[in-house]
Amino acid sequence: MNLERRSFIKGSALLAAMSAVGGVRAAGIVNHEQKYHDRWHATQLPVPQKLLDSEPVLQCPAPDSMGVAFAVSDFALGYAEVADNEKMENAVQYACEGVPLAMLDDRVMRIRMTGLKPGTKYWYRVGASTLAFPVGYWKKPSPPEWSKVYSFTTCGENASSHFSVITDTHTNWKTFALLAQKLRAIGAPVTLWLGDASSHTETREELVKMFLKTETGGDYATTQPVFFINGNHDFRGRACLHSTEVMMGRLPSERSGRDWPLVRNFAVRQGEIALIGLDTGEDKPDFHPSAGGATRFEPYRTMQTAWLADQFKRPEIARAPYIVAFMHIPIFDSRPDANPGNTLENYAAWQKQGHDEWGPLLKQYGAQLVVAGHCHCYRYDEPTAERPWAQIVGGGPHMVADKFPTVIEGKVEDGELKVRVHNMFTGKVEATHAFKPRV
Ligand SMILES: [Fe+2]
Ligand SMILES: [Fe+2]
């Protein structure tokens, strides 16, 4: 008799004794439950084959936590195992997140690894079990199918001051493959993906193919976790309501009740750099007919203004030598006729509300740089006395000479934040911009 069976019977005997006091037919209950337990115990599932249906995609990096999602091919319970050594000795196991129920699913496993140390290298693998239901609702998992072992390094003030940025990928998989290759070559510990991952998504399976099981074969975020920021296109189609079921929102404990809906905003130290993520939303006003009365981007941006002001009061953000804000739509455009995103005509070239509400805070707290996308064309806006933060706009998905895709790399070197704009059409560095630390 194994321990599990012994402890079950011990519990059943206690139940019988308690029931007898009240005059209930205790023996009947014990036999009934024992039969169920025996059937549960006898059920043996094999280790699944090809239940894992994508590479792991690390996401929502933080100093003390890391998210990971991956696709599965059947109803499953997912796991991640994390260790401080490559041999995975004394690994800690996490299962699908969710309280009170783990989020079992037939397509996407989402696991949050918590309690991690800042700026620390970890090794991990993901796994999944199929589930049998030998007795009604009684679940029994199979032994897990495991991925190979990968590694990541958590964020934190002691982590390396290095990041990469991609944007406006629009499911152009030829370009995406080159971007993924470049991310690996640069080797930055984190990637910021500034949205327009899609053009329009109607089903969760489209989200799975955009983020987890990409046509490039995945492996763009097995070791370099992604901070994902919505673009305007990521709000189009029915599936956008479910995007956090595939690309997770930030850990809830990072934000207050007031900021509860701000699931993708982040302010995280990556070495000497404070990375701040903001969501510019759609490129049309809420009163535009295309919104159908169902969007609230204007109050959403104002909620982020209050959130942003509070981030600068956090000691680790306040003392950061460099502050870089990331968003999808630029919040500045020097052209007098550029569309500010608040009219019924066409669509935003820049987001005036973000400029008016976030711009002064970025100025007040000495942010050096805004990095955005949306325009599908690289651009650098020099800082001015009135607007002391610079703005870099990244390129789009098409492999053309005048509107080339970019990977933007930021790294602190020789006492400066050096930002290199890699031109993915020519394969050369298009421009380098340098920023002094805040005084
Ligand atoms: Fe775009
Ligand atoms: Fe866009």
Side-chain angles (χ1 to χ4, degrees):
M1 185 179 291
N2 63 32
L3 181 65
E4 178 180 56
R5 192 173 163 84
R6 262 205 317 272
S7 61
F8 179 84
I9 289 171
K10 193 173 155 196
S12 299
L14 180 65
L15 177 69
M18 288 168 67
S19 301
V21 175
V24 176
R25 287 173 293 169
I29 292 172
V30 170
N31 287 342
H32 181 67
E33 294 286 300
Q34 186 65 59
K35 187 175 72 182
Y36 286 177
H37 182 267
D38 288 347
R39 200 185 307 163
W40 182 91
H41 197 260
T43 301
Q44 297 291 339
L45 290 175
V47 176
Q49 301 291 315
K50 298 191 176 173
L51 179 59
L52 302 181
D53 199 34
S54 79
E55 301 280 0
V57 174
L58 293 171
Q59 47 197 274
C60 296
D64 57 358
S65 69
M66 182 71 72
V68 65
F70 55 97
V72 288
S73 58
D74 201 351
F75 193 70
L77 172 61
Y79 313 95
E81 277 192 349
V82 185
D84 61 4
N85 63 87
E86 196 169 2
K87 291 181 180 168
M88 301 297 288
E89 285 169 1
N90 301 316
V92 175
Q93 190 177 104
Y94 302 83
C96 285
E97 72 171 349
V99 171
L101 299 175
M103 292 187 189
L104 305 171
D105 194 66
D106 60 4
R107 194 62 179 125
V108 181
M109 299 286 100
R110 287 172 290 158
I111 296 130
R112 193 90 63 168
M113 298 165 262
T114 54
L116 306 178
K117 293 184 204 146
T120 302
K121 184 170 183 178
Y122 289 95
W123 285 260
Y124 79 102
R125 61 179 184 169
V126 296
S129 296
T130 52
L131 288 159
F133 293 84
V135 184
Y137 65 89
W138 288 41
K139 304 172 200 58
K140 185 158 189 187
S142 71
E145 175 188 349
W146 291 106
S147 73
K148 64 180 188 181
V149 173
Y150 305 92
S151 65
F152 63 77
T153 302
T154 46
C155 304
E157 292 182 71
N158 57 336
S160 72
S161 310
H162 196 190
F163 64 80
S164 293
V165 184
I166 59 173
T167 187
D168 293 85
T169 45
H170 286 279
T171 65
N172 183 322
W173 297 117
K174 277 191 181 163
T175 300
F176 194 88
L178 286 172
L179 299 181
Q181 198 177 34
K182 191 68 181 177
L183 292 175
R184 287 192 291 272
I186 290 171
V190 291
T191 301
L192 296 108
W193 188 353
L194 308 189
D196 280 4
S198 63
S199 293
H200 182 139
T201 46
E202 288 295 331
T203 66
R204 188 173 69 149
E205 187 59 22
E206 289 173 69
L207 294 174
V208 168
K209 290 188 170 144
M210 267 161 51
F211 290 119
L212 304 182
K213 199 177 178 185
T214 67
E215 286 183 25
T216 62
D219 200 7
Y220 68 95
T222 54
T223 57
Q224 294 159 293
V226 170
F227 289 94
F228 182 73
I229 292 172
N230 293 312
N232 53 301
H233 281 275
D234 301 310
F235 290 106
R236 297 181 183 178
R238 289 174 179 83
C240 67
L241 295 165
H242 305 284
S243 75
T244 54
E245 293 173 21
V246 178
M247 285 298 263
M248 302 153 82
R250 300 293 304 179
L251 191 67
S253 57
E254 288 182 12
R255 60 190 184 277
S256 67
R258 182 199 66 184
D259 300 327
W260 201 246
L262 308 183
V263 295
R264 295 220 185 274
N265 288 82
F266 56 84
V268 172
R269 280 289 296 270
Q270 182 64 39
E272 295 182 60
I273 312 164
L275 309 173
I276 296 184
L278 290 154
D279 188 344
T280 44
E282 256 294 2
D283 63 1
K284 297 176 183 65
D286 287 337
F287 62 82
H288 194 280
S290 65
T295 69
R296 286 143 202 170
F297 289 107
E298 288 147 24
Y300 176 55
R301 290 184 201 105
T302 299
M303 288 174 75
Q304 293 178 75
T305 308
W307 171 85
L308 179 61
D310 284 354
Q311 301 317 300
F312 292 120
K313 295 171 192 152
R314 289 169 48 197
E316 72 273 30
I317 303 299
R319 64 176 170 251
Y322 304 93
I323 295 177
V324 184
F326 300 86
M327 60 199 74
H328 180 69
I329 301 177
I331 53 170
F332 171 75
D333 196 309
S334 61
R335 297 169 299 168
D337 61 344
N339 190 319
N342 59 3
T343 74
L344 291 175
E345 304 297 320
N346 299 316
Y347 56 88
W350 64 296
Q351 223 304 314
K352 185 175 185 307
Q353 187 189 355
H355 172 274
D356 293 351
E357 295 191 22
W358 306 339
L361 287 168
L362 297 174
K363 178 178 178 177
Q364 181 184 344
Y365 291 100
Q368 291 96 335
L369 178 64
V370 166
V371 182
H374 182 63
C375 302
H376 296 195
C377 188
Y378 159 66
R379 184 175 94 225
Y380 179 63
D381 297 315
E382 291 269 7
T384 62
E386 194 181 329
R387 175 185 47 76
W389 40 269
Q391 181 177 260
I392 295 178
V393 179
H398 302 300
M399 204 50 81
V400 288
D402 60 338
K403 288 195 156 196
F404 49 86
T406 55
V407 176
I408 297 167
E409 176 191 7
K411 189 174 192 181
V412 176
E413 292 171 338
D414 306 323
E416 289 185 323
L417 172 60
K418 295 238 173 63
V419 180
R420 293 183 185 84
V421 180
H422 298 272
N423 178 330
M424 299 305 296
F425 182 77
T426 62
K428 296 182 177 155
V429 174
E430 182 70 21
T432 302
H433 308 285
F435 301 91
K436 300 273 183 225
R438 296 156 76 212
V439 287

